[in-house]
Amino acid sequence: MKDIQINRLVPSDAPALSKLLTTDDNVYRQYFIPFPADFNSLEVRLGTVREDRYWGIWYGGNLAGFFMMRGFDEGYQRPSFGVYIAQAYSRKGLSGFALDYCMCWCRVNSIETMMLKVHPDNHYARQTYEKAGFSALGICHRTGHTIMEKSWRRD
């Protein structure tokens, strides 16, 4: 039996992350737009992160996916969630696992709200987010993705 491990990504993980983000075909990864197209900057990005978080999901020594909470380094109070799971590991619950992890991480760190963006045609992801309690706020003018938010504020 192999175990799933969650570890913060560090600069030395950049080659594995680059491989993860470029191995699957374009149709599978079409909705995921995490960074500019220059994957060579991943090592720099991982090496200069301050408050943002990038985690890897490792399975059997392979990077099966990664997820992030970012926006803090740019001064935002509400972080943005993003997740990418390799096609070989899709539909096994890893995206939901990453989302649950980040929601717990936010609550433990007294972060009251998180957001995400999802492509309108990515029905599976949108259903996952709606089941988790996210609500649509609008459309991102840059990408056309639906902006969704979840809050734990006590009114």
Side-chain angles (χ1 to χ4, degrees), residues 9 12-21 23 42 58 62-63:
L9 294 173
S12 61
D13 294 321
L17 182 56
S18 180
K19 181 179 176 185
L20 173 74
L21 294 173
T23 297
L42 290 176
W58 300 87
N62 296 313
L63 186 59

Side-chain angles (χ1 to χ4, degrees), residues 12 18 27 31 36 72 80-81 88 90 96 103 110 115 118 127 129:
S12 61
S18 180
V27 173
Y31 301 131
F72 297 117
S80 180
F81 170 77
S90 68
M103 289 190 300
S110 301
M115 60 130 344
V118 61
Q127 287 175 344
Y129 301 140

Side-chain angles (χ1 to χ4, degrees), residues 99-123:
L99 181 62
D100 288 343
Y101 185 99
C102 285
M103 289 190 300
C104 290
W105 184 86
C106 282
R107 289 191 301 268
V108 166
N109 285 285
S110 301
I111 298 165
E112 298 178 336
T113 307
M114 65 185 273
M115 60 130 344
L116 56 85
K117 296 176 186 174
V118 61
H119 191 281
D121 293 337
N122 194 347
H123 302 293

Side-chain angles (χ1 to χ4, degrees), residues 40-149:
N40 294 328
S41 66
L42 290 176
E43 185 172 358
V44 172
R45 179 178 296 274
L46 294 174
T48 58
V49 68
R50 295 180 316 276
E51 299 295 322
D52 289 352
R53 294 293 187 267
Y54 297 88
W55 293 281
I57 302 173
W58 300 87
Y59 177 73
N62 296 313
L63 186 59
F66 94 104
F67 58 102
M68 59 193 157
M69 295 297 295
R70 65 181 192 172
F72 297 117
D73 288 353
E74 288 82 28
Y76 295 100
Q77 298 300 307
R78 176 184 67 174
S80 180
F81 170 77
V83 62
Y84 184 84
I85 305 299
Q87 191 170 9
Y89 299 98
S90 68
R91 308 271 184 186
K92 298 188 186 321
L94 294 176
S95 291
F97 177 71
L99 181 62
D100 288 343
Y101 185 99
C102 285
M103 289 190 300
C104 290
W105 184 86
C106 282
R107 289 191 301 268
V108 166
N109 285 285
S110 301
I111 298 165
E112 298 178 336
T113 307
M114 65 185 273
M115 60 130 344
L116 56 85
K117 296 176 186 174
V118 61
H119 191 281
D121 293 337
N122 194 347
H123 302 293
Y124 178 78
R126 184 167 178 141
Q127 287 175 344
T128 298
Y129 301 140
E130 288 171 348
K131 279 184 177 179
F134 283 80
S135 301
L137 297 178
I139 303 296
C140 175
H141 298 291
R142 185 177 53 81
T143 63
H145 291 189
T146 303
I147 301 168
M148 301 183 81
E149 179 182 80

